[in-house]
Amino acid sequence: MTTLPVADTTDPASDAVRPRKISRKATGADAVFVHAARAVGATVLVITGGVGLFLAWQAYPTWQSYGFGFLTETQWNPEADVLGIAAVLAGTVTVALVAMVIAFPLALSTALYISEYAPAAIRSTLVSLVDLMAAVPSIIWGLWGFFLIMPHAADLAFWLQRNLGWIPIFDVPSADADAAVWDASRYTASAFCAGIAVAMMVLPMSCAVMRQVFSQTPPGEKEAALALGATKWGMVRAVVLPFGRGGIIGGTMLGMGRALGETIAVLLIISPAFELKWSFLEIGTNTISALIAGRFGDATKTQMSALLAAGFVLFLLTLLINTLAAVIVNRSRSGAGTDA
Amino acid sequence: MTLTTPAGERVAGATHLPAYDEDAAPAVPRDSLGRMTVDEKFVRIGSWASGLGMAWLITQQLLPLPGLAWFLIVWFGCGLLVTAITAAMSGGGFVEVRDRVAAAVLTAGAAIVGAALVSAMVFVVMRGWKPLLHLNFYLDDMSGVGPKDPFDRGGIAHAIVGSLMQLGIAIAITLPLGIGTAVFMTEVGGRFARIVRTVVEAMTALPSIVAGLFIYTTFIVALGFPRSGLAASLAIAVMMLPIIARAADVVLRVVPDGLREASLALGASRWKTVWTVVLPTARPGLATACILGVARGIGETSPVLLTSGAAPFMVTNPTDGVMNSMPLFIYTTVRSGEPNAITRAFAAATVLMAIVLILFITARIVARPRKTKNKRGRRTRPSVDLVVADPLVAMGPAHAAAPSYDRIEDNS
């Protein structure tokens, strides 16, 4: 039997009934947990943020002594006290651009193939393979690029020069395209060869981001397109690609960010040269990361600061591209919650 | 009203009731809706077969285009052409042509990527299998062994030990800090957590060589410590910390809020909720995040190149002088240019790849969602599906891996 609660008038405390005080403040073990977690967070903030601040602080003397010329000077000549990163910066961007020109179509088609065309039975295996490709150490891609790809890349570079040499970027000024015996050594160790190896490194990361976004396409919209009579490609073009546009751009820029900082494969393949040039097929280029790896050992204090400044510029460039990528992905419709 | 002529013939454009047509052929149901019919299959495979024939004719008989590369390119071009023509002949028009050509191009792109991965693996093993047959390759170090020495002398034991020790120290630093930060960012929150998240996300952009340079200038040049295995571990840790923190953050964020709220509603404290609900739920995802971070760390050469040296002998004390590691050994050995040394480097690369592969397979096994085998009275914990919480994507833009809760396996 249910009884209604009866107010106990004899109890003096019942008049003073008040709602219990609600506090979100952690007490006891929770307080320990919250503070410990905050301490860990602060430690990581200090470590990671410290790296960025330290680089900026170390780069400052270089900025003071070389000024704006540090960004426009091509030579890195410590004996003459002429230090500048124009050539290496251009080389870095060239290698990254070559890598992206190769990696973008391959990453896009692989992502589309896995998410739309592959038989359902092997789809998860393919996803694992792409992840595995991302885990392959960069030194192995460097070996692959240097020993397996470079001779073929030189052939291709020669062919490009002979047939498209009238376009300035495909020209190799130091070699004659019509020579009876072509000088293969002029076409190796170029930004093009390094770009191929770097492309293989950044491809899986771009591909993974794109595939992830494609797989979030609302199935209702895909089925609607098919029900209206679209072919598979029609459905991909009308639904999947527009939906995944943010992921495509974001994944590409993310790959670009990784390509800019790649060191060891580039160091293994290129032959260092400090010059600004269009011809990416020709031997000799340099990147910021390769410059750091090559010059840190015998650097004096000023040069060390200059190397750190170069590293800081590289970091800023990567940061800018990654941030843009994140903004683009977040603003697009990709990944937005849809009911379909 | 149906318009008919007095003779009963139908007028074009008029509405009429459907009538049973006695003369029409009986409808044949398709075997399967999704699958291609035998005819279609024949046309598609046949197009590529004829492309193969044309490629042989063009490259071997008509034009001077020697080499496998040209053959493959011409085959692809001819195959596309024949595919387009047969598609146009099948009656679908331009729409059908575009559909089939697009499918062929996309498949070819994926095939190229697969070929690159397979060729890299096969090439490394092919060039480096010889030293792998000698047991001393796994048990000896390179002290007193010259670059020209045969493979029955010397080995890479020192590099393997160095790599494992450096990784061990780096993991001991990054794992608690990385997961702790992720817990802080997702479970405690607040304005400070947002700042931490922003900085950590920004620092994932740090190129590995700059991480090495940072440790080189602070630890070695400024503080005066010698180049050592410890410095290398610190450099790897600086590089791995943002990656692991960010990946763990994304994994923790896809843990459904319902689980947390259920735990809190049952009276558990926040700490208890994190320890007994959130972390166990995210365990497979966290394991994958860490293992992939480790796979990345073991393969990175550049931070190690700056902070340690390629010692040819076994070093077991990380604070005592230069200590070799696998990627550094490969890099320095291949730079020496001797054919025997290069073969040795390829053998070491094979071992490195095997280590990465083992780590990777472990990650996949750990990460696999538990099977819904409900033994009597035993409840399995729900696990986060890794298709959603893929730490590889977690290294990408923050919301590319948008949390979606509908794929959480509910197997209680």
Side-chain angles (χ1 to χ4, degrees), chain A residues 30 33 44 48 54-55 109-110 117 128 131-132 135 144 147 159 233 254 258 263 267 304 308 318-319 322 330, chain B residues 70 99 102 106 109 113 119-120 181 202-203 205 210 214 216 269-271 296 331 335 356 360 364 392 396 399:
Chain A
D30 270 0
F33 160 65
V44 171
T48 52
F54 176 82
L55 285 174
S109 62
T110 309
Y117 286 86
S128 290
D131 290 0
L132 176 65
W144 176 82
F147 289 98
W159 187 85
W233 171 243
L254 206 75
R258 178 96 197 270
T263 314
L267 193 61
M304 206 61 203
L308 282 162
T318 325
L319 184 60
N322 277 18
N330 288 348
Chain B
W70 274 118
D99 182 42
L106 291 179
V113 174
S119 73
T181 317
M203 292 312 287
V210 180
F214 170 70
Y216 181 76
S269 65
R270 283 165 82 183
W271 162 242
R296 186 84 195 275
Y331 176 73
R335 271 277 158 126
V356 171
F360 188 80
R364 286 288 142 184
L392 185 78
H399 298 286

Side-chain angles (χ1 to χ4, degrees), chain A:
Chain A
M1 198 180 95
T2 316
T3 48
L4 286 170
V6 180
D8 186 0
T9 46
T10 58
D11 184 3
S14 65
D15 294 334
V17 166
R18 291 225 170 78
R20 127 185 109 89
K21 207 175 165 193
I22 294 174
S23 161
R24 289 203 66 232
K25 202 160 194 166
T27 51
D30 270 0
V32 176
F33 160 65
V34 169
H35 285 113
R38 188 162 287 143
V40 171
T43 315
V44 171
L45 180 71
V46 168
I47 295 175
T48 52
V51 178
L53 288 180
F54 176 82
L55 285 174
W57 175 57
Q58 287 288 316
Y60 187 65
T62 306
W63 184 257
Q64 263 187 333
S65 56
Y66 297 100
F68 196 67
F70 187 66
L71 293 177
T72 54
E73 171 61 47
T74 58
Q75 287 305 306
W76 188 276
N77 195 349
E79 285 82 28
D81 198 31
V82 175
L83 300 177
I85 56 166
V88 284
L89 197 59
T92 308
V93 173
T94 313
V95 171
L97 280 182
V98 171
M100 286 332 289
V101 165
I102 297 167
F104 173 72
L106 290 178
L108 182 62
S109 62
T110 309
L112 277 178
Y113 178 78
I114 292 176
S115 70
E116 302 300 327
Y117 286 86
I122 62 165
R123 198 165 288 169
S124 63
T125 314
L126 292 178
V127 173
S128 290
L129 277 180
V130 171
D131 290 0
L132 176 65
M133 199 169 169
V136 171
S138 57
I139 181 83
I140 286 180
W141 287 119
L143 293 177
W144 176 82
F146 186 82
F147 289 98
L148 185 68
I149 294 302
M150 203 140 88
H152 299 289
D155 278 346
L156 180 59
F158 178 59
W159 187 85
L160 282 174
Q161 188 205 0
R162 211 175 40 186
N163 293 289
L164 296 169
W166 46 273
I167 305 172
I169 59 166
F170 290 119
D171 192 22
V172 180
S174 62
D176 181 14
D178 303 319
V181 179
W182 63 292
D183 185 6
S185 67
R186 299 307 307 169
Y187 300 89
T188 53
S190 61
F192 178 58
C193 302
I196 295 176
V198 174
M200 290 306 134
M201 262 171 265
V202 301
L203 192 155
M205 182 174 269
S206 304
C207 180
V209 174
M210 291 181 195
R211 186 196 57 76
Q212 177 85 23
V213 175
F214 291 154
S215 71
Q216 288 168 353
T217 316
E221 289 182 25
K222 281 159 72 172
E223 281 157 18
L226 292 174
L228 286 170
T231 56
K232 196 163 222 171
W233 171 243
M235 181 268 286
V236 168
R237 259 198 58 182
V239 179
V240 177
L241 288 180
F243 182 85
R245 196 170 54 209
I248 296 172
I249 299 171
T252 310
M253 295 185 82
L254 206 75
M256 180 100 183
R258 178 96 197 270
L260 288 171
E262 187 47 52
T263 314
I264 207 74
V266 176
L267 193 61
L268 202 59
I269 290 174
I270 59 162
S271 113
F274 293 94
E275 46 185 319
L276 271 176
K277 58 180 173 189
W278 287 108
S279 51
F280 65 96
L281 298 175
E282 193 187 20
I283 183 170
T285 184
N286 214 340
T287 68
I288 292 180
S289 46
L291 173 80
I292 296 174
R295 296 295 175 100
F296 77 97
D298 49 356
T300 60
K301 203 165 180 306
T302 1
Q303 290 164 34
M304 206 61 203
S305 164
L307 284 179
L308 282 162
F312 185 60
V313 171
L314 177 63
F315 169 59
L316 284 186
L317 202 61
T318 325
L319 184 60
L320 179 75
I321 287 178
N322 277 18
T323 312
L324 275 179
V327 168
I328 288 171
V329 172
N330 288 348
R331 285 177 104 192
S332 69
R333 214 185 124 214
S334 305
T338 36
D339 298 326

Side-chain angles (χ1 to χ4, degrees), chain B residues 382-394:
Chain B
S383 47
V384 177
D385 185 355
L386 264 133
V387 179
V388 176
D390 194 332
L392 185 78
V393 176

